[in-house]
Amino acid sequence: MIKNKKTIKHGKLLLVVLMNVGLFYSCVPTKDLKEANTNMPSKYVDQTTDSTNSAQLKWSDFFKDENLTKLIDTALTNNQELRIMMQQIDVAQNEVKARKGEYLPFISYGAGAEVEKVGEYTRNGAVEKNLDIKDGEEFPEPLTDYSAGLFATWELDVWKKLRNSKKAAALEYLSTIEGKNFMVTRLIAEIADSYYELVALDNQLAFIEQNLELQSNALKMVRLQKEAARATELAVKRFEAEVLKNQSHKFEVQQEIVEMENKLNFLIGRQPQSITRNSEGFIETEMDTIYAGLPSQLLLNRPDIRQAEFELEAAKLNIKVARANFYPSIGLKAGLGLQAFKPKYLTETPASLIYSAVGDIAGPLINRNAIKADYNTANSKQIQAVFEYEKAILSGYIEVVNQLSKMENLKQSYALKENQVKALTESIDLSTRLFQSARIEYIEVLLTQREALESKMELVETKKDQLMARVNVYQALGGGWN
């Protein structure tokens, strides 16, 4: 009968515990997760539904210029920002290891020594005075205490709080990897753009020097015309001014070349020095076809979109972690060791053996505002991550559309500028012969030479813009990190 009473008592206690846990569970707030909108058009504007995608090309295959690929290869090893990002990846990886260790038992060791003197007219002092350790051996005074042992603590992850925290850290780590990949794509694009800018400046400098030679010859001709009374001093001065203006422009371009070389040196992480490049044939550079593929492929190819996706998944898990704080935690503690007042007794077992085992359960009951605030914050961050993800998708799609349109318009513009340069180049010789025969004024020769130079400079700029647009399309599609 006594045994049955004890069983009933324990059953009631268990029932009370279960009811309390159920009460806690029912009081835990719940909010619906916001889902991201990942709908995208079936194809780009004025593009086919072909899934062939240039983003799948490795950057070493995309760029044909060996000098450029060497610069990129060096930058991927030496660039300071990339090195900083690699350390951030290591930090994220260590965080995963730390979170993983939290839901495993913690085992530690310890040893200690203590000396204590208590008053004789106290409870402990009276007990020690009248009680022998064993026959004929009193308690030492002062009393020493030596101990050594192993201790273990373990929080049972019943609500998957620790495991979800570890998964969230793993997703943050993957997000950091994608962040590094996105940085690589931007770095490669910036190096390529700067390289094309440098080569374009070389070509502009060459056109300026060619034009200076033509203008110098024209100036000599005008001076001879003046001596023959067929031209005025005004014509001479105007040609002199034009020559001086272009000589000044030449030094400006030379300075731009120095700065662009040093920008490339900075990007590849080395001291200022000359950049090896091949500037010949820049105008005749052929534009390879870019295959845009399908808009849905951006979700897989663009590192920034994948980074935002991992951030969103981590935010969802963080909500579960914050929600688990409302539930009671269950912990286990255990210890095993040796303890004695003299070191020589430590090895005498089982007399000096000590051990303990404790289980506890604890949960929030009153004033849970801090936990509610953390839970609401986690929900807000999840919604924020949804918007970030949707923004990354929209931004990536718009970038591709803009760059594809730019490539097409630049193609049309380049063809027209090419014909313009051809016409103005032919008009230089024509205007010079007409001026020699006194059939046109000197100002027409001057304007023809000026317009011809400007058209050549614009042609170089357009070719540079074409090459940059090609690189930007490749980056926008998600290429460059592999």
Side-chain angles (χ1 to χ4, degrees):
M1 184 179 296
I2 295 174
K3 192 172 183 181
N4 289 337
K5 288 183 178 178
K6 288 183 178 179
T7 303
I8 294 172
K9 185 178 180 181
H10 291 160
K12 288 182 178 179
L13 180 61
L14 179 61
L15 180 61
V16 171
V17 172
L18 292 176
M19 289 178 64
N20 287 332
V21 171
L23 179 63
F24 289 141
Y25 186 84
S26 63
C27 295
V28 173
T30 302
K31 292 185 178 181
D32 294 331
L33 291 177
K34 181 177 178 59
E35 297 297 331
N37 179 16
T38 59
N39 293 329
M40 301 187 74
S42 59
K43 66 185 182 93
Y44 297 106
V45 180
D46 298 330
Q47 299 289 321
T48 65
T49 56
D50 187 1
S51 61
T52 305
N53 198 317
S54 295
Q56 297 172 353
L57 285 174
K58 294 183 178 180
W59 65 262
S60 54
D61 296 327
F62 182 79
F63 297 104
K64 306 300 182 182
D65 192 320
E66 292 185 2
N67 295 318
L68 175 57
T69 55
K70 288 179 181 178
L71 292 174
I72 294 174
D73 193 52
T74 305
L76 294 179
T77 304
N78 298 336
N79 181 264
Q80 300 298 328
E81 288 189 17
L82 201 54
R83 287 182 171 183
I84 294 172
M85 189 65 185
M86 295 302 296
Q87 296 306 310
Q88 188 173 340
I89 291 175
D90 288 342
V91 171
Q93 189 175 23
N94 291 331
E95 183 66 19
V96 175
K97 294 178 180 178
R99 298 279 182 90
K100 182 179 180 181
E102 287 179 354
Y103 66 83
L104 298 175
F106 287 86
I107 300 177
S108 58
Y109 64 89
E114 180 184 354
V115 61
E116 181 183 20
K117 168 67 174 68
V118 296
E120 184 176 342
Y121 299 108
T122 62
R123 182 179 63 179
N124 291 338
V127 170
E128 292 176 4
K129 184 71 175 178
N130 295 295
L131 182 65
D132 293 339
I133 298 173
K134 53 186 177 180
D135 293 340
E137 185 175 354
E138 298 180 348
F139 274 88
E141 189 178 352
L143 180 64
T144 56
D145 185 23
Y146 300 93
S147 62
L150 297 175
F151 311 95
T153 60
W154 187 21
E155 180 180 352
L156 301 182
D157 193 21
V158 177
W159 317 113
K160 297 184 179 181
K161 170 185 173 181
L162 301 178
R163 277 172 286 182
N164 285 331
S165 179
K166 180 253 180 182
K167 290 178 182 178
L171 289 169
E172 292 286 353
Y173 167 71
L174 294 176
S175 171
T176 313
I177 294 290
E178 296 299 335
K180 185 267 294 183
N181 292 337
F182 186 55
M183 178 179 287
V184 168
T185 65
R186 288 186 299 166
L187 176 63
I188 291 176
E190 188 173 3
I191 290 175
D193 288 349
S194 300
Y195 181 82
Y196 293 139
E197 179 78 30
L198 181 60
V199 174
L201 288 171
D202 288 341
N203 280 264
Q204 288 181 344
L205 183 62
F207 282 136
I208 291 173
E209 291 174 344
Q210 292 175 10
N211 203 62
L212 277 173
E213 185 177 356
L214 290 173
Q215 289 177 339
S216 297
N217 293 332
L219 178 58
K220 293 177 183 178
M221 180 185 65
V222 170
R223 283 173 176 166
L224 291 175
Q225 293 275 21
K226 182 198 169 194
E227 292 176 1
R230 295 176 58 187
T232 63
E233 181 66 17
L234 177 60
V236 174
K237 294 301 181 182
R238 290 293 297 271
F239 272 95
E240 286 181 351
E242 192 70 15
V243 170
L244 293 172
K245 184 189 77 169
N246 286 322
Q247 286 176 339
S248 174
H249 190 196
K250 175 182 176 180
F251 288 109
E252 292 173 358
V253 174
Q254 287 177 341
Q255 177 60 26
E256 291 180 16
I257 289 174
V258 172
E259 293 178 1
M260 192 55 60
E261 283 187 320
N262 289 335
K263 179 183 178 181
L264 278 167
N265 284 317
F266 175 77
L267 291 174
I268 62 179
R270 70 183 185 188
Q271 296 294 328
Q273 54 187 276
S274 178
I275 298 294
T276 303
R277 56 194 183 274
N278 183 15
S279 300
E280 296 181 1
F282 177 74
I283 294 295
E284 293 79 19
T285 303
E286 294 292 334
M287 304 300 299
D288 295 337
T289 303
I290 288 286
Y291 299 98
L294 303 176
S296 58
Q297 292 176 317
L298 293 177
L299 301 178
L300 299 176
N301 294 334
R302 278 189 65 117
D304 58 329
I305 294 179
R306 290 176 57 82
Q307 181 182 15
E309 182 183 5
F310 285 129
E311 292 285 353
L312 175 57
E313 295 302 319
K316 291 179 181 179
L317 289 173
N318 285 333
I319 291 178
K320 294 182 180 180
V321 173
R323 195 167 186 266
N325 289 328
F326 289 99
Y327 305 141
S329 61
I330 302 174
L332 299 176
K333 297 179 182 178
L336 177 65
L338 302 171
Q339 186 175 19
F341 61 84
K342 287 185 179 180
K344 67 179 182 179
Y345 293 142
L346 286 175
T347 57
E348 293 187 10
T349 56
S352 61
L353 180 67
I354 58 172
Y355 60 85
S356 65
V358 180
D360 57 39
I361 178 172
L365 182 61
I366 300 175
N367 192 9
R368 301 187 296 173
N369 290 334
I371 300 176
K372 290 179 180 178
D374 289 340
Y375 178 69
N376 291 332
T377 298
N379 276 278
S380 297
K381 288 185 176 180
Q382 189 268 338
I383 296 174
Q384 183 182 20
V386 168
F387 292 140
E388 290 287 349
Y389 185 41
E390 292 177 346
K391 185 182 76 171
I393 294 173
L394 180 60
S395 175
Y397 177 74
I398 291 176
E399 281 182 21
V400 174
V401 172
N402 287 343
Q403 293 302 326
L404 288 174
S405 175
K406 187 176 182 179
M407 280 192 66
E408 182 60 30
N409 288 325
L410 284 172
K411 178 181 178 182
Q412 303 297 330
S413 176
Y414 183 82
L416 296 172
K417 288 184 183 297
E418 197 172 28
N419 292 329
Q420 180 190 13
V421 169
K422 183 179 179 181
L424 287 172
T425 302
E426 293 174 353
S427 67
I428 291 176
D429 183 60
L430 181 60
S431 64
T432 302
R433 286 190 280 110
L434 289 173
F435 178 69
Q436 287 176 334
S437 60
R439 296 176 63 183
I440 61 173
E441 296 293 331
Y442 73 91
I443 194 66
E444 295 187 51
V445 179
L446 196 63
L447 290 174
T448 301
Q449 293 180 347
R450 182 184 298 173
E451 291 172 355
L453 176 61
E454 290 175 354
S455 66
K456 291 177 181 179
M457 302 288 273
E458 291 175 359
L459 185 67
V460 172
E461 283 289 328
T462 305
K463 175 59 70 174
K464 179 198 70 176
D465 291 340
Q466 278 187 295
L467 291 169
M468 287 184 174
R470 181 173 176 269
V471 173
N472 292 335
V473 168
Y474 179 60
Q475 181 194 8
L477 290 172
W481 57 268
N482 52 344

